Amino acid sequence: MLLLYIKRSHGPRCSVSDLLKHRYLIFSGTSLQNCRMMTMSLIWGVLVAVCCCLWLITGIRRRHPGEPPLDNGPLPYLGCALQFGANPLKFLRAKQKKVGNIFTCKIVGKYVHFLTNPFSFHTVMRHGKHFDWKKFHFTTAAKVFGHRSIDPNDGNTTENMHQTFIKTLQGDALHSLTENMMENLQHVLKPSVPPQENPAPWVTDGLYSFCYRVMFEAGYLTLFGKELNSNKDLQKQKAQRAIYLENFKEFDKIFPALVAGLPIHVFKSAYNAREKLAEALLHKNLQKRDKISELVTLRMFLNDTQSTFDDMEKAKTHLAVLWAAQANTIPATFWSLFQTIRSPEALKAAVEEVHNVLKNAGQKVSFDGKPIVLTQAQLNDMPVLDSIIKESIRLSSASMNVRAAKEDFILHLEDGSYSIRKDDVIALYPPLVHLDPEIYPDPLTFKYNRYLDENGKTKTNFYCNGLKLKYYYLPFGSGLTKCPGRIFAIYEIKEFLILMLSYFELELVDRQPRCPPLDQSRAGLGILPPTNDIDFRYRLKCL
């Protein structure tokens, strides 16, 4: 075959010596090419080997005397991230069983010390002077929302964000915030025209989609107010809020990837959604709105007077507020309503409590009368709804309480003393407590009255190994890292449940539905949403 090819290439007068000479050149060229390929392969092999050696020398941390057991994980940089992300609870329980109540794992370049003994949590709080709990949150916020750091130490602003939240989400400021949320929920839920049919027709919807839509719209109006002359062109305004909702969903969908360090420009649609949400929150647009919350009004003032942020960065700090107010409240609302409808005992007890509270408050449920108004004291006196919400959150929360070490120090625990290095992270993972059968018998089962004592009042005594626990419920963080908006979030959910149980008949399409799995991709961020929606039916009651 080779001879025929050479003959055709050189014509009919090619001699044997020419053939041999040409054949030598062909094979010489082939050998030279093979040599070059082997050389390049050797060079690449050496480079890979050198990189592996460098990683072994500098990338793998060595455990020093007095430090917790260490696991660098199987992968460079990622460490144990994939195993942890697949099932955090299973991973941490296996580690705890193998090495004890404190251990260190490399996760995405950080060394994280996990504490799994709930009796050690209060000791961590006492070491507060060694921790910087803001650093992680400030860095993550800047990366995710696209503004410069809001840490006053970085020189972009002098605002103390935590104090702003405390001032505007707790105490006296909470009264108007709660009242406005109740008003906006009724604005979203109640029909503009009373039903003509009696009984009203059933409407089928996805329960999570329904909760998402209602809570987002009412929450947005509560924080950022209504457009001036809001009685004009109501359909156009509602359509605009629907666009905000879709943009929020698109952005929130890739939130875990952004926290993990991926740049938002990889996700073009999410990037566009974020920018559009921020545009709506530009100060020039917010100034066209009425009844803006004290939180946003104060933040606008502080952004203008105490920061060097440009207009878009200011808007993106408001977007961070919007996300913090919605991202966990919405799935918590879904789980609370789902578990209530799913459990006949919970539904009966909740309806009875709501009826009694409204009756004692002199509130009448109607479609054309005055809206329902409840004081904070009346909302606080609802232990059944409190227990339902707590139990729903206990089963679905997967927040991570983290603190970064400001310096090398010794952490003294009940189990012993451990050396902690500067910039290491101390992490508490609440599901280890929330799903511990020693603390909560039959922990995977929803029990609406789990947080009620024998007198029907709020239960606060929980035990582990016969000892009373101080930290038995931690979905909102602990110590200084506790969410400043947690009280308002519970009020929001409670108000939603009150209105749903007052105005609507509710039932699940599948009378014996399986509880949808939790979306573990958001582990560490708060309340986990369901992986799939649940169909339900609702219709207005005959009032």
Side-chain angles (χ1 to χ4, degrees):
M1 202 67 182
L2 179 61
L3 289 174
L4 285 173
Y5 171 76
I6 294 172
K7 186 175 181 180
R8 288 173 186 155
S9 300
H10 292 270
R13 294 189 178 182
C14 185
S15 67
V16 175
S17 60
D18 290 335
L19 287 173
L20 292 174
K21 182 178 178 182
H22 194 79
R23 183 180 177 189
Y24 169 77
L25 290 173
I26 291 173
F27 284 112
S28 295
T30 305
S31 299
L32 183 60
Q33 186 178 2
N34 287 341
C35 253
R36 286 175 179 169
M37 290 179 65
M38 289 176 65
T39 303
M40 289 301 297
S41 298
L42 184 61
I43 291 171
W44 277 110
V46 170
L47 285 174
V48 170
V50 169
C51 289
C52 288
C53 289
L54 287 174
W55 177 67
L56 287 170
I57 295 169
T58 62
I60 292 185
R61 176 157 154 174
R62 307 296 176 186
R63 181 187 180 190
H64 293 169
E67 291 185 338
L70 171 64
D71 186 350
N72 280 289
L75 299 172
Y77 184 69
L78 291 176
C80 303
L82 297 183
Q83 299 136 291
F84 176 79
N87 192 322
L89 187 62
K90 182 180 179 181
F91 173 79
L92 294 177
R93 279 178 170 169
K95 281 286 177 191
Q96 181 186 26
K97 185 177 181 180
K98 182 178 180 181
V99 299
N101 289 325
I102 179 171
F103 46 87
T104 309
C105 297
K106 184 177 182 180
I107 296 180
V108 195
K110 291 288 185 182
Y111 287 93
V112 183
H113 306 285
F114 288 99
L115 273 67
T116 62
N117 181 359
F119 292 106
S120 295
F121 292 177
H122 73 281
T123 309
V124 173
M125 316 305 168
R126 290 207 307 262
H127 285 76
K129 66 179 182 179
H130 298 293
F131 295 122
D132 183 353
W133 59 270
K134 299 176 183 177
K135 182 178 180 180
F136 174 80
H137 298 92
F138 287 156
T139 303
T140 301
K143 179 171 55 180
V144 169
F145 297 106
H147 53 70
R148 282 174 289 159
S149 172
I150 55 176
D151 186 346
N153 294 323
D154 292 331
N156 303 316
T157 180
T158 58
E159 178 189 0
N160 185 322
M161 288 281 287
H162 190 69
Q163 286 303 315
T164 299
F165 290 139
I166 293 291
K167 182 178 181 180
T168 57
L169 292 174
Q170 297 181 15
D172 294 338
L174 195 55
H175 296 294
S176 60
L177 204 58
T178 305
E179 287 179 7
N180 288 339
M181 184 65 184
M182 186 64 138
E183 178 185 325
N184 288 321
L185 278 169
Q186 290 175 84
H187 170 73
V188 175
L189 284 171
K190 287 173 63 175
S192 55
V193 179
Q196 302 300 313
E197 298 181 48
N198 194 0
W202 286 101
V203 178
T204 301
D205 202 347
L207 186 58
Y208 186 54
S209 299
F210 179 88
C211 294
Y212 210 127
R213 183 171 64 250
V214 171
M215 293 300 286
F216 179 85
E217 187 171 347
Y220 194 97
L221 292 172
T222 301
L223 287 176
F224 300 104
K226 301 175 181 177
E227 290 188 17
L228 295 172
N229 302 317
S230 58
N231 292 328
K232 295 182 179 179
D233 211 347
L234 294 177
Q235 289 303 316
K236 182 178 179 181
Q237 293 175 34
K238 195 169 184 68
Q240 185 61 59
R241 289 196 293 273
I243 294 173
Y244 296 158
L245 171 62
E246 292 309 310
N247 285 332
F248 185 85
K249 285 182 177 180
E250 188 67 31
F251 171 60
D252 182 59
K253 185 168 60 178
I254 55 95
F255 201 88
L258 300 181
V259 173
L262 292 177
I264 193 170
H265 294 282
V266 174
F267 310 95
K268 186 176 180 180
S269 58
Y271 172 78
N272 292 335
R274 186 188 74 177
E275 300 304 295
K276 289 175 184 176
L277 284 168
E279 282 178 24
L281 301 177
L282 288 166
H283 284 198
K284 66 179 182 181
N285 293 325
L286 291 177
Q287 287 162 359
K288 300 174 184 177
R289 303 181 72 84
D290 187 28
K291 296 186 73 173
I292 296 176
S293 67
E294 184 179 340
L295 166 60
V296 175
T297 301
L298 179 58
R299 291 230 58 261
M300 289 173 68
F301 172 75
L302 295 176
N303 264 339
D304 287 338
T305 60
Q306 296 187 16
S307 82
T308 60
F309 296 138
D310 61 34
D311 290 344
M312 198 60 170
E313 284 180 304
K314 293 173 184 177
K316 287 177 178 178
T317 66
H318 299 318
L319 175 57
V321 171
L322 174 64
W323 185 89
Q326 300 279 13
N328 286 309
T329 302
I330 289 171
T333 301
F334 162 79
W335 289 115
S336 298
L337 183 57
F338 170 72
Q339 299 288 13
T340 300
I341 303 174
R342 187 182 180 218
S343 166
E345 297 84 3
L347 184 60
K348 182 176 182 296
V351 169
E352 184 177 329
E353 181 176 77
V354 169
H355 173 78
N356 291 336
V357 167
L358 293 178
K359 181 179 178 181
N360 293 335
Q363 299 289 306
K364 184 179 179 182
V365 180
S366 66
F367 298 120
D368 49 4
K370 293 181 179 180
I372 294 173
V373 178
L374 293 174
T375 65
Q376 282 182 242
Q378 290 161 341
L379 289 171
N380 289 336
D381 190 26
M382 304 187 78
V384 173
L385 286 194
D386 275 326
S387 183
I388 287 173
I389 294 169
K390 277 186 178 179
E391 178 72 344
S392 300
I393 290 176
R394 179 189 71 82
L395 287 166
S396 58
S397 65
S399 57
M400 185 94 76
N401 299 349
V402 297
R403 294 158 172 80
K406 293 191 291 187
E407 58 194 0
D408 292 352
F409 75 100
I410 303 298
L411 178 63
H412 300 285
L413 303 174
E414 281 74 3
D415 307 64
S417 297
Y418 300 91
S419 298
I420 305 297
R421 303 188 200 181
K422 181 182 178 181
D423 293 329
D424 282 0
V425 175
I426 298 289
L428 315 178
Y429 191 60
L432 286 168
V433 174
H434 296 165
L435 301 176
D436 186 338
E438 179 69 26
I439 302 169
Y440 295 102
D442 199 7
L444 296 179
T445 300
F446 173 83
K447 298 180 180 180
Y448 86 91
N449 56 355
R450 195 185 289 274
Y451 291 93
L452 298 176
D453 63 18
E454 60 275 5
N455 299 315
K457 302 298 181 182
T458 300
K459 179 181 177 181
T460 57
N461 295 330
F462 289 85
Y463 298 85
C464 182
N465 298 324
L467 299 174
K468 186 178 177 181
L469 276 173
K470 182 177 182 180
Y471 295 101
Y472 58 86
Y473 184 70
L474 296 161
F476 301 108
S478 55
L480 291 174
T481 66
K482 191 173 285 188
C483 172
R486 64 191 181 281
I487 303 170
F488 177 56
I490 296 301
Y491 282 153
E492 288 181 281
I493 300 170
K494 197 177 290 187
E495 289 174 337
F496 174 82
L497 292 177
I498 289 169
L499 296 176
M500 290 299 293
L501 297 176
S502 298
Y503 284 113
F504 299 100
E505 295 178 44
L506 306 165
E507 62 181 40
L508 299 174
V509 172
D510 184 348
R511 297 303 178 90
Q512 293 183 324
R514 295 184 61 184
C515 189
L518 300 170
D519 181 1
Q520 294 292 344
S521 71
R522 300 181 72 90
L525 296 177
I527 309 300
L528 303 182
T531 56
N532 59 273
D533 211 339
I534 296 291
D535 290 333
F536 86 118
R537 302 199 307 164
Y538 64 96
R539 68 178 177 185
L540 292 163
K541 288 182 177 179
C542 301
L543 300 176

